[in-house]
Amino acid sequence: MSSIFSVRNLILGFSVLAAATYAYLSLQGGKRDNLPPRESPSKFVESAQAAGINFRMNYLPAEQGENFKVNLYDHGCGLAVADYDGDGHEDVYFVNQLGKNALYRNKGDGTFEDVTKKAGVGLGDRVCVAAAFADTLNKGRQDLYVTSTRGGNVFFRNNGDGTFTDATKEAGLELIAHSQTATFFDYNNDGLLDLLVTNTARWTNKDYDEINHYYPGISGFMAMVSSPIEYNVLYRNNGDGTFTDVTEKAGLKGKGWGGDVAVFDYNGDGHLDLFVTNMFGGGQLYRNNGDGTFTDVTRKVLGRSSFGPIGCKVFDFNNDGMLDLFIVDMHSDMWLPPTVDPRSRPSSEVMRKYDRITGPLAQYAKEGEKVEQRTADALKVRYDEVFFGNTFFKALPNGRFQEVSDKANMESFWPWGIATADFDNDGYEDVFLPSGWDTPTGTGPTPC
């Protein structure tokens, strides 16, 4: 991994969104030569409280729960992990919608302590979405960038003494948008970590809630997708503590509704490329041209890919030394009527690809065809360019890929973010998918 990414201290801030229950997929394949046998863990044990982590994300009462609206406030928040104080132990920063964020210092003995107040990174005056740590000055100190929904993103400079200073304006990183992911990577190979911030659209109302510190979201799917789009922003690290917006020159504005980001050198040319999800369209694979610009090569390199992907991740699933790309589509599953319990349906019926944006709606609702056409028109969907389901691209030599999601058994129901690791210590990376679905009576498990 390190030789491919060729950057230091890369921590991707990503949103692990709306998780009700979880699907666990174990991938098989590749060679096991020279891999020593290792004992597999029998189970995972919930130990947050015992470890001293008592953080809870608070949602906005007027937007969720009994007052649920169809907008992005239902997506929850992310977290970031890094050794912020340089003691050799990974610490955790949680972000919040309503109330303060929290930084937990890893004490090195299996427990954590809440150091939010001392560190000065609590905020609490805006709806936060995601965060990312990065050593932006190559001084061995992890700085922190936090994204928010229309509250203004924040850049905290690490002072090296366990505290941070808000250096947003000084660094040239002021941005007020409906932001999602913050990703640090060295796009121009100058040894400095640059910053990409993905943004969605203006899906909130103008009336500010002074008590809860947020702009209420509009209600209704069609109203939301019709919101004026916002573009992603690429900031070049100048090496002196400041950043410059180079989005236009780089060609990374995107198509709106940007979300998760995967960074990898897909063609082995020594330059970091990007895959960026698009919540209401096809994701984009950007080739780094090596001259400060990027080219969208999605159709040429990947062909058809997932429509409306929520999460993406690169990892080497078959141990062949090449990074593969997994993309998950939640939107095709969300059209299951709330009166239908997916647990009552065969897994082959709900864990599959569809031939339409609205997934299974037509088989349950008379108005399904009309809804499909209206949605396709609003989103300007090209059916020949996308799949309505997950896509898993196996890397081949010379920068080529093969879509193998069905063969690899990688289709799932209502997936959101993606996390990978060798959970059972067998020498292969496995995949963890947070997932969820809403019913009139609450939230239920995924039928996997």
Side-chain angles (χ1 to χ4, degrees):
M1 277 287 192
S2 59
S3 62
I4 295 174
F5 277 82
S6 67
V7 296
R8 294 197 301 271
N9 305 309
L10 176 61
I11 299 292
L12 301 183
F14 64 93
S15 295
V16 178
L17 309 171
T21 53
Y22 307 95
Y24 176 85
L25 304 178
S26 180
L27 302 181
Q28 300 298 326
K31 299 180 179 180
R32 298 198 56 168
D33 297 345
N34 301 319
L35 288 176
R38 288 178 285 180
E39 182 179 353
S40 297
S42 58
K43 62 181 179 179
F44 287 90
V45 177
E46 167 57 47
S47 57
Q49 294 297 317
I53 297 178
N54 55 13
F55 175 82
R56 292 186 66 85
M57 192 210 86
N58 300 309
Y59 63 77
L60 303 167
E63 305 290 332
Q64 297 148 325
E66 294 181 1
N67 301 302
F68 178 78
K69 296 179 183 178
V70 179
N71 62 51
L72 266 63
Y73 282 132
D74 70 348
H75 283 195
C77 301
L79 55 83
V81 178
D83 178 10
Y84 86 95
D85 56 356
D87 66 354
H89 304 293
E90 300 276 49
D91 313 297
V92 186
Y93 182 75
F94 295 93
V95 300
N96 212 339
Q97 284 192 348
L98 181 61
K100 289 184 178 297
N101 301 339
L103 175 63
Y104 286 87
R105 176 180 171 271
N106 188 335
K107 297 167 68 175
D109 59 0
T111 66
F112 293 77
E113 62 174 325
D114 187 337
V115 294
T116 311
K117 185 175 182 179
K118 175 185 177 182
V121 292
L123 295 176
D125 59 349
R126 69 201 74 195
V127 174
C128 294
V129 179
F133 283 105
D135 180 3
T136 64
L137 288 175
N138 292 337
K139 290 185 175 181
R141 300 175 183 176
Q142 297 291 329
D143 303 313
L144 176 65
Y145 188 85
V146 183
T147 66
S148 80
T149 296
R150 203 174 168 180
N153 299 344
V154 182
F155 178 65
F156 289 106
R157 180 74 69 194
N158 190 327
N159 298 320
D161 59 359
T163 68
F164 292 78
T165 298
D166 185 341
T168 312
K169 183 176 182 179
E170 169 190 323
L173 291 174
E174 292 178 295
L175 176 63
I176 298 176
H178 298 71
S179 297
Q180 291 286 298
T181 300
T183 304
F184 286 96
F185 72 114
D186 185 2
Y187 87 96
N188 55 0
N189 287 350
D190 65 353
L192 300 168
L193 291 177
D194 310 295
L195 172 64
L196 176 70
V197 180
T198 59
N199 300 300
T200 55
R202 296 196 294 274
W203 50 269
T204 55
N205 292 313
K206 64 179 181 179
D207 299 321
Y208 185 69
D209 185 327
E210 295 284 353
I211 297 177
N212 294 314
H213 308 292
Y214 84 105
Y215 291 89
I218 59 177
S219 183
F221 180 75
M222 296 309 295
M224 181 174 63
V225 300
S226 300
S227 303
I229 64 172
E230 294 177 339
Y231 296 105
N232 305 325
V233 180
L234 176 66
Y235 294 100
R236 185 189 67 227
N237 188 334
N238 298 321
D240 59 359
T242 68
F243 291 77
T244 299
D245 183 342
V246 294
T247 314
E248 288 284 353
K249 177 183 177 181
L252 286 181
K253 288 177 61 177
K255 300 179 179 180
W257 296 104
D260 205 358
V261 179
V263 181
F264 65 131
D265 181 6
Y266 83 86
N267 56 0
D269 66 355
H271 303 289
L272 292 176
D273 312 299
L274 299 170
F275 183 84
V276 182
T277 64
N278 180 345
M279 194 174 304
F280 295 121
Q284 298 99 53
L285 176 64
Y286 291 102
R287 184 188 67 219
N288 188 330
N289 300 319
D291 59 0
T293 68
F294 291 78
T295 299
D296 185 340
V297 294
T298 313
R299 288 300 305 276
K300 179 180 179 181
V301 176
L302 299 181
R304 297 172 69 186
S305 62
S306 298
F307 172 84
I310 292 294
C312 61
K313 191 76 171 180
V314 289
F315 64 105
D316 182 6
F317 88 99
N318 56 356
N319 293 340
D320 65 356
M322 295 184 288
L323 288 175
D324 312 293
L325 174 64
F326 185 34
I327 308 167
V328 292
D329 159 34
M330 178 277 293
H331 281 277
S332 298
D333 294 323
M334 76 178 188
W335 297 92
L336 194 69
T339 55
V340 177
D341 187 338
R343 293 171 296 186
S344 69
R345 312 307 303 169
S347 60
S348 60
E349 183 176 317
V350 294
M351 292 173 57
R352 66 181 183 87
K353 289 183 174 62
Y354 303 98
D355 59 1
R356 59 187 65 219
I357 309 165
T358 54
L361 183 63
Q363 69 187 82
Y364 295 104
K366 293 181 179 179
E367 70 275 12
E369 292 296 341
K370 292 183 179 179
V371 175
E372 173 72 15
Q373 188 60 56
R374 186 166 65 246
T375 306
D377 290 344
L379 300 177
K380 298 179 175 59
V381 176
R382 293 282 302 272
Y383 288 86
D384 61 332
E385 294 183 356
V386 292
F387 285 112
F388 302 107
N390 299 345
T391 46
F392 185 40
F393 292 96
K394 175 184 176 181
L396 303 174
N398 302 319
R400 295 178 294 121
F401 291 88
Q402 178 185 2
E403 206 289 299
V404 296
S405 58
D406 293 337
K407 180 179 179 181
N409 193 33
M410 295 291 276
E411 194 57 62
S412 58
F413 181 74
W414 210 302
W416 289 76
I418 306 171
T420 63
D422 181 7
F423 297 117
D424 55 0
N425 293 329
D426 67 350
Y428 299 97
E429 282 204 74
D430 311 302
V431 179
F432 176 79
L433 299 179
S435 56
W437 61 275
D438 288 323
T439 71
T441 57
T443 308
T446 290
C448 293

